[in-house]
Amino acid sequence: VQLQASGGGLVQAGGSLGLSCAASGRTFSNYGMGWFRQAPGKERDFVAAISRGGGTTFYGDSVKGRFTVSRDNDKNMVYLQMTILRPEDTAVYYCAARRTFSVRSADLIEGAKYSYWGQGTLVTVSS
């Protein structure tokens, strides 16, 4: 699976931004999808994940209620809508894919279990 993330940019605190991730190469609907982020000098963090059919989602504690993950299997796309952005949301955001039919959080929130990664898109939130 090849993944291409886009939509990053500069936004003021309190604003909104939408990220997209285009997938190609495999049957997209067989893959759970995740969003992760890495701020400078920090470890990679889990942001959000969505099951292969889109019926189950998970969020990191710091983004719950502000971010929404969704997918369109017909278009091979996964999205991350981010609202009420904070300076601490500044990071490079990565989309990732793993072939799984699982809807368990343990199978979808752990980055090490993902096999495919996009190149990342930078989100900068100014205060």
Side-chain angles (χ1 to χ4, degrees):
V1 176
Q2 291 80 47
L3 302 172
Q4 180 77 33
S6 62
L10 175 64
V11 62
Q12 287 190 331
S16 300
L17 199 63
L19 304 183
S20 299
C21 177
S24 61
R26 299 285 184 175
T27 304
F28 182 63
S29 60
N30 286 343
Y31 288 78
M33 299 297 296
W35 286 96
F36 297 82
R37 67 187 182 186
Q38 188 165 20
K42 295 188 177 181
E43 294 185 352
R44 184 179 63 199
D45 284 338
F46 167 72
V47 176
I50 187 166
S51 60
R52 70 183 189 102
T56 301
T57 58
F58 300 100
Y59 296 93
D61 288 341
S62 63
V63 308
K64 282 180 182 176
R66 300 189 297 124
F67 291 11
T68 302
V69 61
S70 61
R71 66 189 295 162
D72 185 336
N73 285 349
D74 291 335
K75 296 181 179 179
N76 287 7
M77 296 289 295
V78 64
Y79 307 98
L80 185 68
Q81 182 63 35
M82 305 182 292
T83 65
I84 318 174
L85 282 161
R86 305 166 180 167
E88 53 264 39
D89 293 319
T90 295
V92 176
Y93 284 71
Y94 299 90
C95 60
R98 70 165 301 203
R99 194 178 190 281
T100 180
F101 289 8
S102 174
V103 296
R104 296 170 58 239
S105 62
D107 292 323
L108 291 171
I109 70 172
E110 187 175 346
K113 293 185 177 181
Y114 282 80
S115 303
Y116 305 96
W117 293 82
Q119 86 289 358
T121 185
L122 177 62
V123 173
T124 303
V125 184
S126 63
S127 58

